[in-house]
Amino acid sequence: MYDLIIIGGGAAGFYAAIQTATKNPDLKIAIFERGKTVLGKVKVSGGGRCNVTHAEFNPSDLATNYPRGKKELLGPFHTHCTGDVMAFFEERGVPLKIEEDGRIFPKSNSSQSIIDCFLDEVEQLNITILKNSSVKSFIPLEDNNGWQVTTMNTHYQCKNLLVATGSNPKIWNQLEDMGHNIIAPVPSLFTFNIKDKRIKGIQGVSTNVQVEVPPKKYYNPKIVVQLRSKVNEQPVLVSDGPLLITHWGMSGPAILKLSAWGANILNEFNYNFRININWVPEYTTEMLEEVFFQIKNVEAKKTIVRTNAVDIPKRLWINLTEAAGIDKALKWADVTKEKLKELALQLTKCSFKVEGKSTFKEEFVTAGGVDLKEINFKTFASKKLPNLYFAGEIINVDAITGGFNFQNAWTGAYIAANAIASA
């Protein structure tokens, strides 16, 4: 009989095991991992560097980075936040660094530092790791005072069960069969597939933008620039920040934030929708027209293509001037008012058709999971079933990119560990 069985040998599972054993060394703890190796997602996260968390130390501000879970995580973040996670690793010989964008990595720039830290800790704390142990079922014991966990060949019993399996449909199905409501999973944190001559051949270009998704009913596949006469409807999604042009379309923080906050909406759109981009978010269309009219008088003898009148990458400027119908040899003195208005539209209300999505590197995140209403966030325990706890992506919490999804895992695991160790 184990005191605690943890299903899932990932970040949340290991953190929970270590925190539980640290607080109560007498407990018998086992981690069940279905694969041949543990901590696989930790290894590939952050391009192999492991983006441990984010330098947001105020719980209220930290919570704003979670499209699902913002309200529920506020209390838990007051209990275990970014600084606590940093202290955990640094006290165990893993120095961390904060990068300019707020992401926190081990100074070694290697996720192996985090993995080695976890493996060393579980060995010292006598925590059992059972690899190649795919859990077939878990059922409450007859007296509801524990659980029976069944793998391929063996039955195990435990007083407490913590599920930290991430986005695992089989585990979700079992929980649903036992009475939990599972919010249907949809992808989050993905990039946009776009085929458009305005971004063709300029992959690698990055610039700061504002991106909007207009209401679906107003989409017209033939429109490539938002028309002035069109009804000014409020966008259903808005994001800003750096945008990266890729071989397949668009990525970067502005797109990833949009995909996270709009995970359910974009799923309903079947990942076929339009986005409107303002490449110069400091300008409105009308303001930019005025700027162009002034340049027309001051730089009359220069060609438009070579002027680069706004602060965007040169290759993008050239493509957008071409899209506005401006010849490479055309000078400011000779350009018509209509052409300048068209150029202003291309820069401030540039419409693209999105046709599908691509996973953001290995950092695939899912929105969905155990209904947050069915979890006690003071303990991360199930409200439906006794002695059952959750941590990580198994619950309906997800975040934007930047280390926030790991922070959810650390916080939930810590609070569950506290409850289990003191039970």
Side-chain angles (χ1 to χ4, degrees):
M1 168 73 83
Y2 285 98
D3 294 290
L4 171 63
I5 285 178
I6 296 169
I7 306 176
F14 268 78
Y15 202 73
I18 292 164
Q19 293 285 3
T20 306
T22 301
K23 289 172 176 58
N24 192 338
D26 296 330
L27 297 184
K28 188 179 180 184
I29 301 169
I31 299 172
F32 285 45
E33 167 56 43
R34 64 179 175 175
K36 295 179 181 178
T37 59
V38 293
L39 300 164
K41 195 167 184 179
V42 171
K43 187 169 184 63
V44 300
S45 75
R49 296 195 297 148
C50 188
N51 184 184
V52 176
T53 184
H54 200 93
E56 183 51 80
F57 299 93
N58 182 298
S60 299
D61 294 334
L62 178 61
T64 63
N65 295 284
Y66 296 81
R68 284 145 292 273
K70 175 182 176 181
K71 179 181 71 173
E72 290 82 2
L73 289 176
L74 183 56
F77 284 155
H78 276 91
T79 299
H80 197 74
C81 201
T82 307
D84 303 301
V85 172
M86 293 185 72
F88 172 89
F89 287 110
E90 291 182 335
E91 287 167 5
R92 288 162 175 79
V94 184
L96 304 175
K97 61 176 179 175
I98 301 174
E99 299 200 338
E100 192 175 338
D101 61 2
R103 292 183 300 163
I104 297 174
F105 294 91
K107 283 186 178 178
S108 66
N109 277 327
S110 172
S111 57
Q112 196 61 44
S113 298
I114 305 299
I115 294 170
D116 291 343
C117 171
F118 281 151
L119 294 176
D120 289 346
E121 283 292 302
V122 297
E123 184 177 359
Q124 290 179 31
L125 294 166
N126 295 314
I127 296 165
T128 302
I129 302 175
L130 297 172
K131 301 175 187 175
N132 295 309
S133 295
S134 180
V135 171
K136 299 303 177 186
S137 69
F138 47 95
I139 56 174
L141 297 176
E142 286 185 9
D143 56 2
N144 264 340
N145 196 32
W147 291 84
Q148 177 173 289
V149 179
T150 302
T151 61
M152 183 69 76
N153 302 311
T154 314
H155 299 295
Y156 301 86
Q157 291 188 345
C158 61
K159 294 178 183 176
N160 299 288
L161 180 65
L162 188 147
V163 183
T165 51
S167 305
N168 187 320
K170 290 182 179 179
I171 299 295
W172 277 331
N173 288 341
Q174 289 188 55
L175 289 167
E176 197 166 36
D177 289 343
M178 289 189 287
H180 264 291
N181 181 40
I182 303 299
I183 306 300
V186 298
S188 181
L189 284 187
F190 49 84
T191 62
F192 295 173
N193 296 347
I194 300 171
K195 292 180 181 178
D196 193 292
K197 65 180 181 181
R198 289 169 294 178
I199 59 171
K200 188 177 181 181
I202 60 170
Q203 56 272 10
V205 165
S206 179
T207 189
N208 204 58
V209 303
Q210 183 179 70
V211 190
E212 297 180 351
V213 176
K216 182 84 169 180
K217 62 181 177 179
Y218 289 100
Y219 294 163
N220 183 335
K222 295 181 180 179
I223 297 174
V224 293
V225 174
Q226 196 175 44
L227 300 180
R228 288 172 178 270
S229 59
K230 205 171 182 184
V231 177
N232 186 22
E233 289 290 327
Q234 288 296 315
V236 294
L237 295 167
V238 180
S239 178
D240 56 31
L243 180 148
L244 174 67
I245 295 171
T246 67
H247 287 281
W248 62 88
M250 294 180 184
S251 184
I255 297 298
L256 294 170
K257 282 194 291 184
L258 202 69
S259 74
W261 287 100
N264 290 308
I265 293 172
L266 300 183
N267 180 65
E268 290 173 8
F269 290 172
N270 199 28
Y271 308 106
N272 283 273
F273 55 96
R274 283 195 169 274
I275 55 173
N276 297 324
I277 297 178
N278 186 341
W279 299 102
V280 282
E282 63 272 26
Y283 291 105
T284 64
T285 308
E286 292 72 21
M287 288 167 62
L288 201 54
E289 286 175 9
E290 288 299 321
V291 170
F292 288 162
F293 295 148
Q294 291 173 20
I295 294 174
K296 180 176 168 65
N297 293 327
V298 176
E299 306 284 3
K301 294 181 180 181
K302 290 186 178 180
T303 60
I304 295 170
V305 169
R306 295 184 64 183
T307 305
N308 206 12
V310 291
D311 187 20
I312 63 171
K314 183 70 175 179
R315 289 190 292 165
L316 178 61
W317 168 258
I318 291 171
N319 280 16
L320 293 178
T321 55
E322 183 181 340
I326 294 172
D327 187 86
K328 288 184 179 180
L330 188 64
K331 295 179 179 179
W332 285 97
D334 303 322
V335 68
T336 64
K337 187 176 181 179
E338 288 68 29
K339 291 286 186 189
L340 289 181
K341 287 185 175 182
E342 178 66 22
L343 181 56
L345 281 170
Q346 287 287 351
L347 283 157
T348 59
K349 296 180 179 179
C350 200
S351 182
F352 292 89
K353 187 179 181 183
V354 178
E355 297 179 285
K357 59 178 174 55
S358 293
T359 301
F360 176 58
K361 299 180 182 178
E362 299 87 352
E363 299 174 28
F364 181 74
V365 173
T366 298
V370 179
D371 193 333
L372 302 184
K373 296 175 184 176
E374 300 174 356
I375 299 166
N376 178 352
F377 280 92
K378 292 181 179 179
T379 59
F380 276 72
S382 164
K383 291 181 180 179
K384 296 272 187 179
L385 299 160
N387 308 108
L388 175 65
Y389 298 83
F390 304 109
E393 277 187 61
I394 186 72
I395 66 175
N396 185 27
V397 167
D398 64 285
I400 63 173
T401 185
F404 299 106
N405 282 296
F406 270 138
Q407 183 60 53
N408 165 51
W410 311 136
T411 296
Y414 175 86
I415 292 175
N418 260 358
I420 293 164
S422 59

